[in-house]
């Protein structure tokens, strides 16, 4: 009798290691799929493959999805200036979309009967995976032992060690998910609202105390809202061979200067409140620079409308609502809004701070106003003092009327 085949989204971490062994013991042929969305560094793909083979996978696939993630997800997150609840750049959450798509692709290629992921039922990742899998391959069974059996990390560790497999103490204590957009960190401290993560929990960003005394200045350039180059103030360009290279480099550079750490707390897709640590230097730097350039070239109404629609788009993306046609409408708006978002921003990274030093653009509204004779704080050749007085008078009328209405007389 031929064994049933299952494709497991495999990171080599605790949850997916447990799932692989569990499936194998239950009689499945397990094919592992490691989807690289920026979490694999030099040599790590081989380490994950070795772990899969050690645990009994019959096949192992590595899919490099970094360029696609950047093109389809990151560019629009930057155009939208999206930070969930104004703080969190959706780190690994938004990457699950691409990961789930690629796992389905592997499953269809190998003729699998089912797909699996190691998400718990307490967060949002299990919803993201299921939503994408059901949209792309509704005939495939979805198997999720961590979610269904409500397993604990301690129980999974005991299971694996009891069979002779090693589990590192850091993996046991913290759930760490690294990707191009950022790294999320969950552990005992994030289960409540008071404690901060200890220094040992952070993966690559330096503390403010450890960051260099001298910061680094960058010139980040955009064309129609997309990052095209970044150079240091002394003219050294950041790598830019692949579309994601600048973001990857800024993750490392920003981390060296203590930029990018945070803890986000907000409502999950299932309605409960959750808290997670994150490291996302690159996205925070690029979004800050992009927003600064937009202030120079977009009208107030454009900025206000973009802030609302961009946040809605980002929230839907974060929640894996990708295949609804409304998302195409949002992207069309975002693309249109970026027509004049071209220029360069000066950014200083220093001791955990992103300092915006200046910006310039051929579409600068400030330069256009100056050419027209309007200089803030000094005056304008476009109106007279009498006209300015009249404007101020008319502008004050609604407030005066409201004040009078609040203090009626008999």
């Amino acid at each position: 009798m031929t064994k049933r085949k299952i494709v497991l989204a495999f990171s080599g971490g605790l949850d997916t290691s447990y799932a692989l062994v569990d499936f194998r013991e239950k009689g499945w042929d397990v094919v592992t799929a490691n989807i690289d969305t920026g979490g694999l560094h030099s040599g790590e793909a081989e380490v994950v493959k070795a772990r899969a083979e050690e645990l009994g996978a019959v096949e192992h696939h590595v899919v490099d999805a970094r360029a696609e993630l950047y093109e389809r997800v990151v560019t629009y997150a930057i155009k939208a200036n999206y930070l969930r609840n104004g703080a969190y750049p959706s780190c690994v959450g938004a990457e699950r979309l691409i990961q789930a798509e690629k796992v389905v692709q592997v499953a269809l290629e190998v003729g699998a009967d089912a797909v699996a992921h190691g998400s718990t039922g307490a967060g949002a990742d299990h919803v993201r995976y299921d939503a994408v899998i059901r949209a792309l391959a509704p005939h495939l069974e979805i198997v999720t032992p961590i979610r269904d059996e409500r397993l604990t990390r301690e129980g999974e560790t005991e299971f694996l060690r009891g069979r002779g497999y090693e589990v590192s103490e850091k993996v046991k204590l913290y759930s760490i998910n690294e990707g191009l957009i950022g790294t999320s960190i969950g552990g005992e401290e994030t289960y409540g609202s008071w404690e901060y993560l200890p220094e040992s929990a952070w993966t690559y960003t330096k503390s403010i105390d450890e960051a260099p005394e001298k910061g680094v200045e960058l010139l980040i350039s955009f064309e129609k809202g997309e990052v095209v180059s970044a150079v240091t103030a002394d003219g050294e360009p950041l790598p830019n061979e692949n579309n994601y290279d600048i973001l990857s480099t800024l993750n490392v550079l920003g981390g060296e200067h203590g930029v990018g750490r945070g803890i986000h707390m907000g409502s999950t897709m299932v309605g409960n409140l959750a808290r997670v640590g994150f490291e996302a230097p690159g996205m925070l730097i690029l979004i800050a620079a992009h927003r600064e350039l937009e202030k120079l070239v977009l009208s107030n109404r454009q900025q206000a409308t973009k802030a609302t629609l961009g946040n809605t788009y980002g929230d839907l993306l974060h929640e894996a609502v990708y295949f609804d046609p409304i998302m195409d409408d949002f992207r069309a708006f975002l693309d249109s809004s970026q027509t004049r978002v071209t220029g360069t921003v000066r950014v200083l990274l220093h001791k955990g701070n992103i300092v915006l030093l200046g910006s310039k653009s051929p579409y600068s509204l400030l330069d256009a106003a100056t050419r027209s004779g309007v200089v803030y704080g000094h005056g304008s050749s476009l109106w007279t003092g009498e006209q300015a007085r009249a404007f101020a008078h008319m502008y004050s009328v609604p407030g005066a009327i409201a004040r009078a209405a609040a203090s009626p007389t008999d």
Side-chain angles (χ1 to χ4, degrees):
M1 179 178 178
T2 304
K3 287 185 177 181
R4 299 184 72 203
K5 184 180 293 184
I6 188 168
V7 172
L8 169 65
F10 187 76
S11 66
L14 179 59
D15 293 328
T16 56
S17 293
Y18 170 90
L20 198 167
V21 177
D22 182 58
F23 291 149
R24 180 172 53 75
E25 292 186 356
K26 289 176 178 176
W28 290 91
D29 271 346
V30 185
V31 176
T32 48
N34 185 209
I35 314 303
D36 183 12
T37 52
L40 295 178
H41 301 290
S42 177
E44 290 184 2
E46 290 74 20
V47 172
V48 175
K49 179 181 179 181
R51 180 67 164 173
E53 293 173 346
E54 175 195 9
L55 298 175
V58 297
E59 292 180 37
H60 181 73
H61 296 252
V62 180
V63 180
D64 186 348
R66 290 174 293 176
E68 188 169 347
L69 170 70
Y70 189 89
E71 179 181 353
R72 292 173 53 195
V73 175
V74 173
T75 56
Y76 284 97
I78 294 172
K79 289 177 182 179
N81 297 321
Y82 179 65
L83 297 173
R84 190 161 177 87
N85 292 329
Y88 181 51
S90 191
C91 287
V92 181
E95 298 178 11
R96 297 300 189 220
L97 161 72
I98 302 297
Q99 291 172 343
E101 282 190 1
K102 298 307 178 184
V103 169
V104 168
Q105 181 180 313
V106 172
L108 296 177
E109 288 174 357
V110 302
D113 302 289
V115 291
H117 55 83
S119 304
T120 70
D125 280 348
H126 71 110
V127 181
R128 297 183 179 105
Y129 268 111
D130 283 19
V132 173
I133 294 167
R134 293 192 185 282
L136 299 180
H139 65 286
L140 291 176
E141 181 184 355
I142 303 175
V143 186
T144 54
I146 311 301
R147 172 176 62 183
D148 298 345
E149 300 171 27
R150 301 178 68 183
L151 298 166
T152 65
R153 298 184 71 78
E154 292 77 15
E156 295 169 40
T157 298
E158 183 179 344
F159 174 89
L160 289 169
R161 287 179 174 171
R163 287 156 176 77
Y165 301 115
E166 292 185 4
V167 178
S168 74
E169 284 301 316
K170 188 164 186 177
V171 168
K172 178 183 174 183
L173 292 174
Y174 294 98
S175 174
I176 298 174
N177 294 283
E178 184 178 356
L180 185 64
I181 297 175
T183 298
S184 66
I185 306 167
E188 181 179 356
E189 295 82 7
T190 62
Y191 300 152
S193 61
W194 185 254
E195 298 297 331
Y196 197 70
L197 287 170
E199 196 61 33
S200 60
W202 303 103
T203 65
Y204 67 92
T205 57
K206 288 185 176 180
S207 68
I208 292 176
D209 288 341
E210 294 176 330
E213 290 299 323
K214 182 180 180 181
V216 60
E217 183 179 331
L218 300 170
L219 304 177
I220 301 175
S221 296
F222 299 82
E223 287 185 9
K224 295 186 176 181
E226 297 194 12
V227 184
V228 293
S229 69
V231 300
T232 62
D234 57 10
E236 181 180 352
L238 272 59
N240 196 18
E241 181 178 351
N242 302 293
N243 61 358
Y244 53 82
D245 283 342
I246 291 175
L247 176 56
S248 294
T249 304
L250 287 177
N251 279 332
V252 176
L253 184 60
E256 283 291 315
H257 287 271
V259 169
R261 288 188 184 184
I263 294 188
H264 172 254
M265 183 163 60
S267 296
T268 70
M269 295 161 62
V270 296
N272 64 303
L273 202 62
R275 191 165 177 253
V276 65
F278 67 89
E279 297 171 290
M283 284 299 286
L284 293 180
I285 294 166
L286 292 178
I287 288 173
H290 177 263
R291 185 190 294 114
E292 186 71 6
L293 183 59
E294 284 193 331
K295 292 177 183 178
L296 184 65
V297 301
L298 298 186
S299 70
N300 286 340
R301 290 186 177 90
Q302 282 180 302
Q303 292 180 58
T305 303
K306 261 201 81 254
T308 299
L309 294 184
N311 190 67
T312 301
Y313 173 80
D315 281 345
L316 292 175
L317 185 68
H318 179 82
E319 297 170 2
V321 182
Y322 190 81
F323 300 105
D324 190 302
I326 189 63
M327 299 299 277
D328 292 326
D329 299 330
F330 278 123
R331 283 187 287 271
F333 166 78
L334 290 171
D335 285 338
S336 176
S337 75
Q338 301 300 292
T339 301
R340 293 189 296 276
V341 185
T342 293
T344 300
V345 182
R346 292 175 61 211
V347 180
L348 174 67
L349 310 180
H350 182 240
K351 289 285 188 180
N353 295 299
I354 303 170
V355 184
L356 301 167
L357 301 175
S359 60
K360 62 180 180 179
S361 169
Y363 303 105
S364 168
L365 293 175
L366 185 61
D367 289 348
T370 301
R371 291 195 300 271
S372 299
V374 180
V375 180
Y376 177 73
H378 291 274
S380 170
S381 62
L382 296 182
W383 57 78
T384 65
E386 183 179 353
Q387 289 169 329
R389 174 185 288 274
F391 174 80
H393 174 79
M394 296 301 295
Y395 187 82
S396 67
V397 168
I401 293 174
R403 179 66 178 173
S407 305
T409 57
D410 292 333

